[in-house]
Amino acid sequence: MTIAILGGTGPQGQGLALRFARSGVAVALGSRDAERAHAIAEDLNAKLTEAGGSFTAITGADNINAAQSAERMVMLAVPFAAHEATLEEVRAALDGKILVDVVVPLEQGNPRGYGPPPEGSATEAAQKLLGEGVKVVGALHNVSAHSLNDLPTPINCDVFVCGDDLAAKEEVQALIEGIGVQTYDAGPAKSARCVEAITPLLIRLNISKKVPFSHAGVRIWAPGH
């Protein structure tokens, strides 16, 4: 299976590409600039080679060609300012597929604040824009780019998955669990309002001088643990 990661040349997209390629999933890295996507794909393959072990090579393409090459799932990892424009650009290539929306609408100029769109969340905005022909699932909002790119270290958090289509959520959960994380069905698309809003809180904690750590995530603990 090939998945596409649009906005894959950014830190979060690169980290996701590394993790999925290492798990044996073919990744098409998408960007507005195809040459940049090709160059970064080569760099990521070199990192995977240096890290050792088996992996599936990452390829680079423009956003439309990357989305077209994905049989089933396309991930969107662009800044929120490019969220709507990117979806408009690739919407024809998304028909019948699952869009995994990783985008968090942070306040402009303030990454510690949540600035949701009128729909309530980026996930809901994507579903409204794309219509019923695309199943939108929100996921991977609270995983730091640093953690994703730190290949020798297991990802330090769980992942909440939101969406209105149960089967699509289960497919996304199975894919994400392949990179070694626990996922939880957090409910319908409107639950993304809560899940996305966790990210600016984590950013606030991670940059605080009063907190003795950074790159923190969220994990669900069972009683007694």
Side-chain angles (χ1 to χ4, degrees):
M1 179 179 71
T2 298
I3 66 170
I5 302 177
L6 311 185
T9 56
Q12 190 173 30
Q14 290 185 43
L16 288 169
L18 288 169
R19 294 287 180 167
F20 284 113
R22 198 178 196 189
S23 74
V25 176
V27 176
L29 207 66
S31 171
R32 290 175 298 176
D33 184 339
E35 290 187 9
R36 175 170 166 77
H38 284 301
I40 289 182
E42 290 181 2
D43 289 344
L44 295 177
N45 287 326
K47 289 180 181 179
L48 288 163
T49 299
E50 184 178 353
S54 62
F55 67 92
T56 302
I58 300 166
T59 59
D62 62 76
N63 282 329
I64 294 175
N65 281 306
Q68 289 174 337
S69 70
E71 293 96 345
R72 185 65 177 153
M73 292 193 203
V74 177
M75 293 191 170
L76 183 64
V78 298
F80 183 63
H83 186 257
E84 182 176 346
T86 305
L87 290 176
E88 289 282 10
E89 177 189 15
V90 302
R91 65 187 306 172
L94 298 177
D95 191 46
K97 299 178 182 179
I98 297 171
L99 176 77
V100 184
D101 200 327
V102 186
V103 177
V104 174
L106 302 174
E107 288 182 359
Q108 189 171 3
N110 178 24
R112 295 172 293 182
Y114 186 54
E119 294 81 1
S121 67
T123 301
E124 292 170 280
Q127 187 65 81
K128 181 179 179 181
L129 188 155
L130 296 171
E132 296 181 0
V134 181
K135 306 302 183 185
V136 178
V137 176
L140 293 159
H141 303 101
N142 312 138
V143 187
S144 78
H146 179 274
S147 296
L148 289 168
N149 282 278
D150 185 11
L151 277 177
T153 305
I155 296 170
N156 65 337
C157 65
D158 298 330
V159 170
F160 303 114
V161 178
C162 310
D164 293 332
D165 187 280
L166 178 59
K169 285 191 289 186
E170 289 176 342
E171 284 189 58
V172 173
Q173 286 182 265
L175 175 72
I176 295 172
E177 288 178 359
I179 63 173
V181 296
Q182 178 65 52
T183 66
Y184 292 92
D185 183 345
K190 67 181 180 180
S191 295
R193 303 176 189 187
C194 302
V195 177
E196 292 174 11
I198 294 172
T199 295
L201 172 62
L202 289 172
I203 292 172
R204 180 178 293 274
L205 292 174
N206 287 332
I207 65 177
S208 172
K209 294 180 180 179
K210 297 180 180 180
V211 178
F213 52 77
S214 60
H215 312 302
V218 175
R219 181 159 287 168
I220 302 301
W221 289 98
H225 288 257

